[in-house]
């Protein structure tokens, strides 16, 4: 089956597909459309976003609709407002030539009155989030008595989001003889449970995750110690001046924190997560679609609302727990035959997770070095030169300033002028990366002598033997609370009421920040630099490798070594202020 015309679709639908330029049905469409057109069976379609599943259920549903009858014949339940709107838009395009067709979308987060008007106008199809639909049913604004087809879209996600009871309530209130079409990215027990309770003998169809084996995706991973994760992200962003991408975090909090930090540094990014209200989320999506934002930092659920086909990079700030979720994330890039890059920042102990995902994706992942400062500067220099070379100034540009310009630069040598222009554009990046360190994990062990000695910081913590700690237990508390690698903590000394330990200088802020928000046996944890600690300093002070006192222990005789200089420069990157394809904003506003 190679074309839509071989399905027995109405002429109006075939016309719309031809207008849209859809030539070949996608695999899920090939599998389910013929069965759904017959319309006499329930089905389960296992397919994720990007596989063309909206058309897979949308075309048959439209085909079954009788436009001369003004009652709700088809109901599509979907987890989020963004998805509802996308489905409605998509369906409207397919039904463009069906005169008299009305499709209403109803979802929470916006005033209900406008939606009541929409549903009272007797649409044949309603796309709804479960909560809002129940609200409308309770207000008797909608009648589902004539319903013939229910589509549960992204069923797994609806269940994950806690809509089970709502879905059950809705399904109980639909006519028994209606057909149910369930679509889900995964077949969890919860999904099967819903199917068993509410569906009649069903047929299952599945297609490989959209891009699970998409060879157009280059899967790369970067191994960094946990405390360097954010710096690594920044470097990857700076190394990709042309990026149009999504950064995935595991939690809403991480999403907010990472986005805020990047924004403070002047990057044109925005968070996108479920704690933001609908209005804000829509605004973010609009700005991303119109390319005012080059990058969105998103959680997995919120990212389902992003319907963009030309994402160049997906960055996993943290790997997801479930390898399958990785394929959902990576599937955001390399859509519609394009190529894309999926980058993952992993700590040394997470390399085994990469191996697991490799098996699922059936592709080899490339371990890639985190670029050093010089590489970033070089990359941005070439990018900027390319921009200059390919710029096409308007014909009459600068006509009125021509004389002034020539007067000003008359005696200036061309090479000098180029140098100045490029310096102006790149100086923030050059400053930021002048003394940048190597972020690749493992480097500090290989580095050795080059840096001329260890660079560590000694920290004080207000917990000691009285809290039931010994060096091992303290090490465990620190590593579990911060995810910091144990080999980076050294020279632990535990006293009665307080303790001391060494960490690499560049990890000290990270550890202080993360541990200070923690409690240990209900005691608020406090950390300070050892030399400033109000705990009176360490008895006998720090006595070098073997001087830790009888309760201290040193697992690493030479201590952690960092040969590179600790990065002194913060912020930076000329692109944040308007160059490098970023739009708007003054140059380097947020520097330092
Ligand atoms: P979906 O999986 O429904 O989110 O669809 C992903 C994208 O693919 C949407 O932008 C659709 O418009 C597009 N699409 C769906 N089916 C086809 C097709 N047969 N040919 C080309 N594009 C399609």
């Amino acid at each position: 089956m190679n074309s839509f015309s071989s399905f027995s679709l109405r002429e109006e639908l075939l016309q719309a597909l031809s207008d849209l330029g859809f030539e070949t049905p996608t695999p899920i469409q090939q599998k389910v459309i013929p069965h759904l057109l017959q319309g006499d069976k329930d089905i389960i379609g296992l397919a994720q976003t990007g596989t063309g599943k909206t058309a897979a259920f949308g075309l048959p549903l439209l085909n079954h609709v009788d436009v001369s009858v003004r009652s709700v014949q088809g109901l599509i339940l979907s987890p989020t407002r963004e998805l509802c709107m996308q489905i409605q838009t998509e369906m409207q395009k397919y039904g463009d030539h069906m005169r008299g067709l009305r499709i209403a979308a109803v979802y929470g987060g916006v005033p209900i009155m406008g939606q009541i008007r929409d549903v009272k106008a007797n649409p044949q199809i309603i796309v709804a989030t479960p909560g809002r639909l129940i609200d409308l049913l309770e207000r008797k604004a909608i009648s589902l008595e004539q319903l013939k087809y229910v589509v549960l879209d992204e069923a797994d996600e609806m269940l994950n989001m806690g809509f089970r009871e709502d879905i059950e309530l809705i399904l109980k209130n639909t006519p028994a003889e209606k057909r149910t079409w369930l679509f889900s990215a995964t077949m969890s027990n919860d999904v099967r449970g819903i199917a068993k309770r509410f569906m009649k003998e069903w047929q299952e169809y599945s297609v490989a995750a959209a891009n699970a084996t998409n060879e157009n995706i280059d899967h790369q991973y970067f191994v960094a110690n946990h405390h360097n994760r954010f710096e690594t992200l920044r470097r990857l962003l700076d190394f990709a001046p042309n990026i149009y991408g999504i950064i995935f975090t595991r939690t809403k909090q991480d999403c907010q924190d990472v986005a805020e930090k990047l924004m403070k540094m002047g990057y044109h990014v925005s968070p996108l997560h479920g704690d933001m209200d609908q209005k804000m989320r829509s605004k973010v999506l609009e700005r991303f679609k119109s390319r005012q934002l080059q990058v969105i930092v998103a959680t997995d659920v919120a990212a389902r609302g992003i319907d963009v086909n030309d994402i160049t990079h997906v960055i996993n700030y943290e790997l997801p727990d479930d390898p399958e979720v990785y394929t959902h994330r990576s599937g955001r890039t390399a859509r519609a035959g394009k190529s894309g890059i999926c980058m993952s920042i992993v700590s040394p102990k997470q390399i085994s997770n990469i191996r697991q995902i490799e098996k699922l994706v059936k592709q080899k992942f490339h371990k890639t070095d985190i670029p050093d400062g010089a590489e970033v500067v070089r990359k941005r220099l070439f990018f900027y030169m390319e921009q200059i070379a390919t710029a096409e100034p308007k014909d009459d540009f600068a006509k009125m300033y021509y004389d002034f310009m020539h007067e000003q630069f008359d005696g200036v040598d061309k090479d000098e002028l180029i140098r100045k222009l490029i310096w102006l554009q790149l100086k923030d990046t050059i400053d930021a990366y002048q003394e940048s360190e190597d972020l690749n994990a493992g480097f500090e062990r290989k580095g050795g002598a080059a840096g001329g000695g260890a660079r560590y910081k000694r920290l004080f913590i207000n917990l000691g033997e009285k809290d039931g700690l010994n060096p091992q237990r303290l090490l465990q508390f620190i590593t579990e609370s911060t995810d910091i690698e144990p080999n980076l903590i050294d020279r632990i000394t535990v006293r009665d009421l307080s303790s001391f330990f060494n960490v690499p200088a560049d990890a000290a802020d990270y550890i202080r920040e993360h541990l200070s928000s923690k409690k240990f046996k209900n005691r608020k944890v406090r950390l300070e630099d050892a030399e400033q600690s109000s705990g009176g300093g360490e008895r006998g002070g720090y006595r070098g490798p073997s001087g830790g006192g009888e309760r201290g222990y040193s697992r690493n005789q030479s201590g952690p070594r960092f040969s590179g200089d600790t990065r002194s420069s913060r912020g930076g990157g000329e692109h944040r202020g308007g160059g490098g394809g970023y739009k708007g904003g003054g140059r380097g506003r947020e520097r330092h």
Side-chain angles (χ1 to χ4, degrees):
M1 181 92 52
N2 284 324
S3 90
F4 284 101
S5 54
S6 52
F7 299 134
S8 45
L9 286 167
R10 314 166 175 225
E11 198 43 51
E12 296 114 299
L13 291 174
L14 291 174
Q15 181 59 47
L17 291 170
S18 144
D19 297 348
L20 288 168
F22 288 13
E23 287 168 2
T24 321
T26 64
I28 189 73
Q29 292 164 0
Q30 293 197 22
K31 282 190 179 169
V32 304
I33 289 178
H35 301 278
L36 297 186
L37 282 175
Q38 281 181 3
D40 57 351
K41 280 228 164 64
D42 287 356
I43 73 132
I44 292 183
L46 294 174
Q48 65 175 77
T49 305
T51 52
K53 69 179 164 60
T54 313
F57 63 72
L59 292 170
L61 184 58
L62 289 166
N63 209 70
H64 288 303
V65 157
D66 182 348
V67 280
S68 66
V69 176
R70 305 298 295 268
S71 62
V72 181
Q73 300 160 47
L75 169 67
I76 303 167
L77 287 178
S78 136
T80 66
R81 162 194 156 116
E82 285 83 14
L83 273 169
C84 279
M85 296 196 313
Q86 262 172 48
I87 294 169
Q88 185 197 26
T89 312
E90 194 89 2
M91 299 277 289
Q92 216 107 43
K93 284 190 213 157
Y94 305 143
D96 197 32
H97 297 287
M98 289 173 61
R99 291 191 55 192
L101 173 73
R102 273 175 193 264
I103 304 170
V106 297
Y107 38 75
V110 292
I112 201 164
M113 290 318 287
Q115 295 180 353
I116 290 181
R117 265 195 306 278
D118 290 348
V119 294
K120 290 218 158 142
N122 295 321
Q124 293 93 359
I125 295 176
I126 289 183
V127 191
T129 51
R132 180 51 64 99
L133 181 69
I134 288 180
D135 212 344
L136 289 163
L137 287 170
E138 281 170 353
R139 289 168 189 249
K140 304 222 179 314
I142 296 180
S143 161
L144 297 179
E145 279 169 22
Q146 305 298 317
L147 192 70
K148 307 245 171 351
Y149 300 93
V150 176
V151 182
L152 302 176
D153 190 29
E154 311 240 342
D156 52 347
E157 204 49 47
M158 286 199 282
L159 293 168
N160 285 343
M161 288 170 72
F163 284 133
R164 169 202 295 284
E165 285 174 11
D166 288 353
I167 295 172
E168 291 180 355
L169 185 68
I170 293 167
L171 291 178
K172 275 186 208 151
N173 284 287
T174 53
E177 63 280 10
K178 55 139 202 322
R179 298 266 75 100
T180 306
W181 304 343
L182 182 154
F183 283 80
S184 183
T186 51
M187 191 64 175
S188 60
N189 285 340
D190 282 352
V191 173
R192 208 172 279 285
I194 286 280
K196 280 190 183 143
R197 283 193 58 193
F198 294 98
M199 291 171 64
K200 304 189 187 104
E201 265 181 74
W202 69 82
Q203 198 79 38
E204 246 173 68
Y205 304 90
S206 71
V207 289
N211 286 306
T213 51
N214 183 339
E215 285 175 7
N216 293 334
I217 303 177
D218 179 10
H219 299 273
Q220 304 178 352
Y221 67 99
F222 301 82
V223 187
N225 287 322
H226 195 74
H227 67 277
N228 281 328
R229 202 171 279 272
F230 182 77
E231 272 305 309
T232 303
L233 173 70
R234 274 189 62 195
R235 205 168 286 182
L236 296 180
L237 285 177
D238 286 345
F239 196 64
N242 227 354
I243 188 172
Y244 184 49
I246 309 175
I247 299 167
F248 280 96
T249 59
R250 264 206 307 219
T251 63
K252 292 179 210 169
Q253 191 61 47
D254 280 351
C255 173
Q256 188 65 31
D257 291 350
V258 168
E260 262 174 30
K261 267 186 176 166
L262 288 172
M263 285 190 286
K264 271 198 198 127
M265 290 169 166
Y267 291 87
H268 288 209
V269 307
S270 173
L272 186 76
H273 56 71
D275 283 351
M276 292 160 64
D277 68 32
Q278 300 277 19
K279 221 177 184 170
M280 295 260 295
R281 290 199 332 232
S282 301
K283 220 167 177 178
V284 170
L285 287 172
E286 264 166 42
R287 290 174 63 212
F288 187 56
K289 276 187 187 166
S290 64
R291 305 254 182 165
Q292 287 168 50
L293 290 172
Q294 260 187 292
V295 174
I296 280 189
V297 187
T299 55
D300 290 295
V301 173
R304 293 208 177 190
I306 306 173
D307 179 32
V308 176
N309 274 340
D310 34 14
I311 300 285
T312 59
H313 291 70
V314 165
I315 302 181
N316 293 304
Y317 183 70
E318 290 253 38
L319 281 179
D321 291 326
D322 178 357
E324 193 134 325
V325 174
Y326 178 95
T327 66
H328 295 195
R329 291 182 178 183
S330 65
R332 292 327 198 112
T333 186
R335 290 171 83 165
K338 297 187 182 115
S339 57
I341 298 174
C342 184
M343 300 173 152
S344 301
I345 304 172
V346 298
S347 63
K349 65 180 179 198
Q350 289 172 321
I351 294 176
S352 56
N353 300 16
I354 290 283
R355 301 285 164 257
Q356 226 184 330
I357 301 168
E358 272 181 334
K359 279 190 203 131
L360 183 73
V361 174
K362 299 194 186 76
Q363 249 169 291
K364 178 126 185 65
F365 281 38
H366 302 115
K367 180 171 184 298
T368 311
D369 280 345
I370 302 162
D372 64 25
E375 286 172 287
V376 174
V377 172
R378 202 177 316 124
K379 178 84 170 225
R380 301 195 75 82
L381 169 67
F382 279 92
F383 179 73
Y384 181 50
M385 291 196 306
E386 176 75 16
Q387 278 195 312
I388 296 178
T390 53
E392 291 181 0
K394 273 191 184 156
D395 281 347
D396 59 352
F397 165 73
K399 224 179 218 168
M400 51 197 295
Y401 310 114
Y402 193 82
D403 290 344
F404 299 118
M405 282 168 20
H406 275 258
E407 204 176 303
Q408 175 80 28
F409 297 117
D410 215 14
V412 185
D413 175 60
K414 177 182 152 201
D415 289 341
E416 181 64 11
L417 198 57
I418 293 175
R419 235 162 54 89
K420 284 188 181 204
L421 276 176
I422 291 189
W423 170 249
L424 269 181
Q425 183 73 12
L426 293 181
K427 70 176 172 11
D428 288 348
T429 306
I430 291 166
D431 280 353
Y433 283 106
Q434 200 159 22
E435 293 187 329
S436 58
E437 62 186 291
D438 190 333
L439 296 174
N440 292 290
F443 156 80
E444 66 277 9
R445 285 183 291 283
K446 288 181 258 152
R455 295 184 60 88
Y456 59 85
K457 205 160 213 161
R458 191 134 180 90
L459 295 179
F460 157 92
I461 186 166
N462 64 334
L463 301 173
E465 272 190 354
K466 285 256 157 58
D467 300 285
L469 287 178
N470 60 24
Q472 263 89 0
R473 287 204 200 113
L474 179 59
L475 179 69
Q476 191 183 0
F477 173 63
I478 298 166
T479 52
E480 283 175 2
S481 308
T482 59
D483 264 347
I484 203 95
E485 290 70 16
N487 64 314
L488 298 182
I489 314 270
D490 197 27
R491 313 241 173 97
I492 299 174
T493 306
V494 175
R495 296 193 329 189
D496 284 353
L497 295 170
S498 57
S499 307
F500 295 83
F501 56 94
N502 280 7
V503 298
D506 67 328
D509 283 348
Y510 172 88
I511 292 174
R512 231 186 338 245
E513 198 182 303
H514 282 74
L515 275 182
S516 295
S517 59
K518 296 274 181 314
K519 281 193 168 166
F520 185 82
K521 293 187 180 167
N522 270 337
R523 217 170 130 193
K524 203 169 171 320
V525 174
R526 183 164 58 87
L527 269 99
E528 287 172 22
D529 282 359
E531 18 338 334
Q532 309 162 357
S533 77
S534 49
E538 204 170 355
R539 196 166 27 214
Y542 172 59
R543 296 187 216 110
S546 54
E550 78 283 7
R551 288 182 222 117
Y553 88 142
S554 178
R555 290 167 302 107
N556 176 352
Q557 276 303 302
S558 59
R561 280 169 190 235
F562 279 73
S563 65
D565 231 346
T566 307
R567 165 89 135 280
S568 56
S569 200
R570 306 186 75 71
E574 82 294 347
H575 63 295
R576 287 151 221 159
Y582 280 67
K583 286 183 190 152
R587 295 188 64 259
R589 278 167 297 130
E590 278 100 340
R591 293 279 293 127
H592 307 276

